[in-house]
Amino acid sequence: MAPSKLRKAIGAVKDQTSISLAKVGNSSSLSDLDVAIVKATRHEEFPADERHIREILSLTCYSRAHISACVNTLSRRL
């Protein structure tokens, strides 16, 4: 069963709110990571854009702190 238009609209608003909060809440590099994760895990039925996945990988490849932040953000999103 396809999601209703109202559910899609609410999901889009929640995504925009999450992106705005991520931009304001953390340090520069962690907010970039949070924004990339939110964009990669949107409420759409399509797979994530490859550029968002690449950004997440590039931000987490050298820092354990970023990996920990990535896992925490993904667990909150799920």
Side-chain angles (χ1 to χ4, degrees), residues 3-17 42-44:
S4 68
K5 290 181 181 182
L6 180 61
R7 186 174 299 266
K8 286 181 182 181
I10 290 171
V13 169
K14 285 175 62 178
D15 289 339
Q16 276 305 119
T17 303
R42 288 185 179 251
H43 287 86
E44 298 173 354

Side-chain angles (χ1 to χ4, degrees), residues 21-69:
L21 289 173
K23 287 181 180 179
V24 173
N26 296 326
S27 68
S28 174
S29 61
L30 289 180
S31 69
D32 292 343
L33 178 62
D34 285 345
V35 170
I37 290 171
V38 170
K39 287 181 177 181
T41 58
R42 288 185 179 251
H43 287 86
E44 298 173 354
E45 294 183 19
F46 302 108
D49 285 340
E50 187 176 337
R51 62 186 164 123
H52 301 304
I53 303 299
R54 286 183 191 265
E55 185 174 0
I56 293 169
L57 291 175
S58 70
L59 290 169
T60 58
C61 69
Y62 296 113
S63 172
R64 285 189 174 269
H66 285 157
I67 293 171
S68 176

